[in-house]
Amino acid sequence: MKRFAGMLFGLIGVVMGIALCAQTAAAQEWSQPWARERIAKSPRHSEWVTVKHDGRNVETLVVYPESKEKRPVVLVIHEIFGLSDWAQELADEVAAAGYIAVAPDLLSGMGPNGGRTKDFPAGSVTEAVSKLNPDQVTADLNAAADYSKKLPASNGKLYVAGFCWGGGQTFRFATNRGDLSAAFVFYGPPPAKDALSRIKAPVYGFYAGNDARIDATIPDTIAAMKAAGKTYEPVTYEGAGHGFMRAGETPDDTNPANKKAREDAWKRWKTLLAQ
């Protein structure tokens, strides 16, 4: 009887352990199982490469379109949630649209035991991203951009797009990179006004109607970009919330405005990329 009781308690412990692990995984900011399932079904070729610069190794996802011609590159800058499953699925969608998607994990080497986004414990990714050194971010992005332009499948044309935290980094990167064909800022804040004069590429903004924090920056940014003689074209999608590009395809999102905003933003983005 004691032996049976011991086995029973052991079994209960195993079950509880499995449940706890499942809860922990669900709590990871970077984990979206539905996005991972879509990636697994993608017919496009993707690979992880290590981009090296200044003693750093930046683990970078590259997804190729199904094309016989050389194609432009879209440098994808992830959200504050790191290079999440959704960010990787977004890169695959960019490739589906006909572009080489290059998505660096800017937390490379910053995680436990030198890991990247997926190696951080639950609840710590956003803090780690928010504390990244801006100069390191710029250096990582420049290295990824330089690498991507040399890809045999690249035609040398370079775009950058980012979301949330990555949207702000996209706008800032446009002040530091002179060979961009365009920058696509999804609900991210602008850089310092005195840096706007360095921008050479047109900047296209995608904003949510229900995002007062970011939307409050738009009027001053319009004025500052106009004063600097730069192209800045923001569009606001009414009823959508911050992060609508992710929320608009999340299976359990209940706001139909997010789905519509995502569809409309994708249509606009593809049109701009094709110009």
Side-chain angles (χ1 to χ4, degrees):
M1 185 68 180
K2 290 183 179 179
R3 182 179 179 184
F4 175 76
M7 291 175 63
L8 179 60
F9 281 118
L11 179 60
I12 291 174
V14 170
V15 172
M16 290 180 65
I18 293 173
L20 181 61
C21 288
Q23 291 175 0
T24 300
Q28 297 285 6
E29 305 100 313
W30 48 262
S31 176
Q32 294 83 44
W34 57 269
R36 178 54 50 190
E37 290 176 6
R38 293 180 187 179
I39 294 171
K41 296 177 182 178
S42 172
R44 287 163 289 281
H45 175 77
S46 65
E47 60 188 26
W48 285 93
V49 300
T50 302
V51 176
K52 299 182 179 182
H53 74 92
D54 304 317
R56 269 185 59 70
N57 294 331
V58 183
E59 302 307 316
T60 302
L61 176 67
V62 181
V63 189
Y64 291 90
E66 295 179 301
S67 173
K68 64 181 181 180
E69 301 175 347
K70 293 187 176 184
R71 298 296 298 157
V73 169
V74 177
L75 185 64
V76 177
I77 307 180
H78 58 67
E79 302 168 295
I80 200 165
F81 305 115
L83 193 61
S84 63
D85 291 340
W86 174 78
Q88 295 175 50
E89 190 262 340
L90 186 281
D92 182 74
E93 291 187 76
V94 169
Y99 302 87
I100 303 170
V102 176
D105 189 335
L106 299 173
L107 285 178
S108 295
M110 313 299 288
N113 300 314
R116 56 182 181 85
T117 294
K118 67 179 182 60
D119 301 307
F120 277 82
S124 61
V125 168
T126 56
E127 181 181 5
V129 171
S130 66
K131 291 183 177 179
L132 284 173
N133 182 294
D135 292 336
Q136 176 179 295
V137 171
T138 298
D140 285 355
L141 293 174
N142 272 324
D146 291 342
Y147 170 85
S148 67
K149 291 190 70 174
K150 296 176 183 177
L151 290 171
S154 168
N155 68 4
K157 200 170 186 178
L158 176 66
Y159 298 95
V160 62
F163 308 82
C164 180
W165 176 86
Q169 296 301 320
T170 293
F171 215 148
R172 193 175 69 84
F173 191 54
T175 71
N176 293 308
R177 184 86 187 191
D179 61 347
L180 296 175
S181 293
F184 304 100
V185 177
F186 288 82
Y187 32 85
K193 287 184 180 180
D194 60 1
L196 298 180
S197 62
R198 301 200 303 266
I199 295 177
K200 295 183 179 180
V203 178
Y204 301 99
F206 301 74
Y207 301 98
N210 297 342
D211 191 5
R213 178 180 67 89
I214 297 298
D215 292 351
T217 68
I218 298 175
D220 285 348
T221 304
I222 291 174
M225 287 287 280
K226 183 177 181 180
K230 308 300 178 181
T231 298
Y232 174 58
E233 298 180 7
V235 170
T236 300
Y237 300 90
E238 294 304 324
H242 184 86
F244 62 79
M245 289 297 287
R246 178 212 287 254
E249 62 174 337
T250 301
D252 58 357
D253 185 72
T254 59
N255 183 3
N258 285 335
K259 181 177 180 180
K260 185 177 187 305
R262 185 181 187 281
E263 292 173 349
D264 291 347
W266 256 115
K267 183 178 180 180
R268 180 188 179 218
W269 189 12
K270 291 177 184 178
T271 298
L272 293 169
L273 281 167
Q275 289 181 356

